[in-house]
Amino acid sequence: MTKTKKQLSPGAKAAVGVGAILQAVFAFLAFWDLSHRDRDEIRGPKPAWIPVILVNWIGPTTYFMFGIRR
């Protein structure tokens, strides 16, 4: 059964908040990296990675694993 925001304990609310902050930081780092790399260091066109990075957790992870040429 799902709980509403009011039904969560203070510890659970803090955990959700920390998770949201970590997700935002991870996406920010992916966008920062994308903007500072040359086109030849990225697989595919840079603009195509923008909507991918916006997908929760999966997008930035995909960018860092598959988007950067090594």
Side-chain angles (χ1 to χ4, degrees):
M1 181 159 44
T2 61
K3 292 184 175 186
T4 63
K5 194 171 161 181
K6 291 180 181 179
Q7 294 174 327
L8 293 176
S9 68
K13 288 180 183 178
V16 169
V18 168
I21 290 170
L22 288 175
Q23 180 179 340
V25 168
F26 195 35
F28 171 78
L29 291 173
F31 280 124
W32 185 87
D33 187 79
L34 179 65
S35 69
H36 285 85
R37 286 193 185 268
D38 290 332
R39 276 187 268 189
D40 59 338
E41 295 180 70
I42 304 293
R43 289 191 175 107
K46 280 186 165 189
W49 283 104
I50 294 170
V52 173
I53 293 172
L54 289 173
V55 178
N56 298 340
W57 295 106
I58 296 168
T61 303
T62 302
Y63 169 73
F64 283 120
M65 291 180 70
F66 303 111
I68 301 170
R69 293 184 194 268
R70 307 213 187 244

